[in-house]
Amino acid sequence: MTRPLHIALAGLLCSLLAPASARAKRGDPPSFKPPPLARAGTPKPVWPRRRRPVRMRAKGIELTDIKRWPAEPPSPETIDRARLAGALRAICGWMPPKRSRLYASWLVEHGRTFGVDPFLLAGLMYRQSLCLPNSKNDYGIGLTGINPRMHAGHIRRRRYRYYVLVDKRWVRRELAMPKYLFFARGLRISKTNLYFAAALVSMWQKQCRFIDRAFGSVAHRHSISHFVWGDRVRGTGAEDRVLTARRRLLQYYRRGKDKGLPADPRAKQGELVLAPPLDATPRVVTSAMGDDRSDGARRHKGIDFASTYGEPVRAVADGLVIIAGIDQKVGPTRNVPPEKIDTIKSKRLGAGGLYVMIRHAGGLRSAYMHLSRYRVRAGQRVKAGQIIGAVGRSGIKISSAHLHFELRDKHSKHLDPVPAMRPYIFTPDQTWAGRRNAWEQKRVRRVRRIRRWKRRQR
């Protein structure tokens, strides 16, 4: 019997008003958006909100619980500018020695002027422009991507005006920036850009705790998020990337680029202790083993590390390189000497792209895929922590650059790398996007099972 219209409408309304937990039990998607900080008791701001002119969205690879991040390593009390210049060349890749020395000098000088960590400024410079001084995009200008429209209305007579809470009232403060004029063309000059970046980071550090609740920002770890988002922080991915770059710089400053991080004794596959394949751990894993690929036609055979194009990839243990070449679209894997990588046509690459496979003690094999280049060849012996290549996106159709990492046993059976790599990673189920992806794949597989069952009933 058909239900009356008013009863059906009442049932629909109740389902829409039901709590999220009840909807989730019925299979509806839960909300994976980080909740904003409560605004209760915070007076309304007396200035217009500072924001990027282009609407940005959080990508979802942020951790659902930011308290999982360990404390960031401290910077050295006294900074050797020559070593900092070497760290800049190591992370930027292309920078000539003279320019790196200038940048190191300016970072230390401006950092001291405004009380800002030079390594934080350097990490911001790398993430915002990849160290390119003429960088300009929809988000900002110059080395650190400063947006003049966001801040111009707050600067008068070379002083930045901002507000803090005193006895539940907004009180104006001023930060002197006497050295240069703030205008768009001037931000293209590297020394000027770093000067204003240090000043703005200093201002955000002083104002951060007062404005987070006033504008309903999501919980975040560092005031550097405001440099990217403005008054209202909508995601923590930007600060995660800047702080990861800072950790890389500190690693290169203290150990040099050629030396990787020491292996964690807890990271073991059988009896073999594994080192991290990327610097500045812990790193976020964006895709787990077994995830759907090609609309369910195949399964993911490893894990994907969130990473930056060009950053070094390291061997996880001592071993022998058995493959250094290409995953061909048609035909078997082919070894290619590293000096002939540029002759490979992209249309010949399969899903793995350029990759390296190493055989370790006990027959364990590790594979590193989607590389932009590699520096080893088949038959070469490598040590744990040795650089074997660089992150790229060879063989990738849609995703951004990342490292695809696999482990296989002596019979070439794929092993889940997560248990062995756990001391170095955050798993996808610890991120907003990972939880959403897991729910979506579960829903799609359920629909497929129903369709197969219906076909069998015909």
Side-chain angles (χ1 to χ4, degrees):
M1 182 181 296
T2 304
R3 291 187 298 174
L5 180 60
H6 68 281
I7 296 179
L9 290 175
L12 176 61
L13 181 61
C14 289
S15 66
L16 293 175
L17 296 177
S21 58
R23 295 200 304 271
K25 291 180 180 179
R26 294 198 299 269
D28 295 338
S31 173
F32 293 131
K33 185 178 180 180
L37 296 170
R39 304 189 189 187
T42 304
K44 185 178 179 180
V46 296
W47 69 95
R49 193 176 76 173
R50 291 163 290 186
R51 68 180 84 187
R52 296 281 187 177
V54 177
R55 185 173 179 84
M56 294 173 59
R57 292 184 178 180
K59 295 183 178 180
I61 62 172
E62 300 95 335
L63 298 189
T64 57
D65 182 7
I66 60 174
K67 294 180 181 179
R68 293 180 183 270
W69 284 102
E72 296 295 326
S75 295
E77 294 183 3
T78 57
I79 298 177
D80 186 323
R81 300 188 184 192
R83 291 172 63 186
L84 177 57
L88 288 175
R89 289 196 300 274
I91 195 171
C92 297
W94 63 273
M95 191 177 294
K98 184 177 180 179
R99 183 174 296 183
S100 65
R101 289 194 294 270
L102 282 174
Y103 284 3
S105 177
W106 296 336
L107 288 167
V108 174
E109 176 188 345
H110 300 331
R112 184 182 298 119
T113 299
F114 293 101
V116 176
D117 177 18
F119 288 92
L120 180 66
L121 286 176
L124 182 68
M125 176 182 77
Y126 172 73
R127 281 306 316 179
Q128 293 289 83
S129 70
L130 295 179
C131 310
L132 299 173
N134 295 322
S135 177
K136 181 181 179 181
N137 51 44
D138 293 335
Y139 302 123
I141 298 173
L143 279 174
T144 58
I146 298 174
N147 192 281
R149 290 172 58 187
M150 183 191 294
H151 302 284
H154 299 264
I155 298 175
R156 293 288 185 276
R157 298 178 181 178
R158 304 194 186 195
R159 303 179 75 88
Y160 196 107
R161 299 178 178 181
Y162 64 97
Y163 292 82
V164 297
L165 278 176
V166 178
D167 296 329
K168 296 187 177 181
R169 291 187 307 107
W170 291 109
V171 178
R172 193 174 79 182
R173 296 283 189 263
E174 293 186 352
L175 176 66
M177 302 184 299
K179 200 167 186 179
Y180 304 104
L181 284 174
F182 185 87
F183 63 104
R185 185 172 295 180
L187 294 176
R188 294 178 179 272
I189 302 172
S190 299
K191 187 175 184 179
T192 306
N193 190 284
L194 292 175
Y195 176 83
F196 284 115
L200 294 175
V201 170
S202 175
M203 182 274 299
W204 289 122
Q205 288 176 348
K206 295 179 175 67
Q207 198 182 24
C208 176
R209 64 190 181 96
F210 300 109
I211 63 174
D212 281 339
R213 296 185 185 277
F215 288 94
S217 296
V218 300
H220 51 279
R221 296 185 289 150
H222 200 283
S223 59
I224 201 68
S225 286
H226 290 285
F227 189 99
V228 178
W229 287 98
D231 283 317
R232 185 184 180 189
V233 176
R234 302 173 67 91
T236 60
E239 73 175 12
D240 293 344
R241 291 186 287 271
V242 172
L243 294 176
T244 297
R246 178 182 175 274
R247 291 197 302 273
R248 286 180 61 194
L249 281 158
L250 284 169
Q251 178 181 333
Y252 301 154
Y253 178 86
R254 289 166 175 154
R255 300 175 59 86
K257 186 176 181 179
D258 291 334
K259 292 184 179 180
L261 293 171
D264 191 316
R266 299 171 298 169
K268 299 179 68 175
Q269 182 65 41
E271 296 299 321
L272 186 65
V273 177
L274 303 180
L278 294 174
D279 297 325
T281 57
R283 303 296 287 264
V284 173
V285 170
T286 58
S287 186
M289 185 172 178
D291 287 351
D292 285 347
R293 288 293 184 270
S294 302
D295 294 328
R298 60 186 179 89
R299 295 292 179 87
H300 200 223
K301 297 180 180 179
I303 58 176
D304 291 341
F305 285 85
S307 43
T308 307
Y309 189 96
E311 68 173 292
V313 176
R314 302 180 185 273
V316 297
D318 298 352
L320 176 70
V321 178
I322 56 176
I323 296 175
I326 60 174
D327 175 26
Q328 297 190 101
K329 187 177 295 184
V330 178
T333 299
R334 184 166 69 90
N335 285 314
V336 178
E339 62 270 14
K340 293 186 177 181
I341 291 176
D342 294 337
T343 64
I344 300 172
K345 296 181 179 180
S346 58
K347 63 182 181 181
R348 296 178 56 188
L349 297 178
L354 300 177
Y355 84 106
V356 172
M357 183 178 289
I358 304 173
R359 184 171 63 232
H360 309 286
L364 181 71
R365 301 178 184 184
S366 59
Y368 316 78
M369 298 188 178
H370 305 318
L371 304 178
S372 60
R373 61 186 182 276
Y374 49 82
R375 58 169 66 176
V376 295
R377 61 186 71 234
Q380 179 180 338
R381 289 277 178 183
V382 295
K383 294 289 185 180
Q386 179 178 333
I387 298 177
I388 58 173
V391 172
R393 60 182 316 272
S394 58
I396 297 176
K397 294 181 180 179
I398 300 176
S399 305
S400 58
H402 63 266
L403 171 66
H404 173 88
F405 177 76
E406 294 181 4
L407 287 179
R408 306 180 189 181
D409 64 13
K410 61 182 179 181
H411 304 296
S412 293
K413 179 182 177 182
H414 287 84
L415 306 173
D416 187 358
V418 167
M421 292 284 112
R422 197 173 295 278
Y424 307 130
I425 64 174
F426 293 114
T427 54
D429 62 331
Q430 295 173 325
T431 67
W432 297 105
R435 292 174 60 182
R436 176 76 187 199
N437 184 54
W439 180 91
E440 181 64 23
Q441 291 194 39
K442 185 178 180 181
R443 183 191 67 81
V444 170
R445 290 169 185 172
R446 183 170 64 247
V447 170
R448 289 176 186 154
R449 286 197 301 269
I450 293 173
R451 288 176 179 173
R452 287 195 298 267
W453 179 81
K454 288 183 177 179
R455 285 197 296 267
R456 289 196 296 267
Q457 300 304 312
R458 293 174 183 172

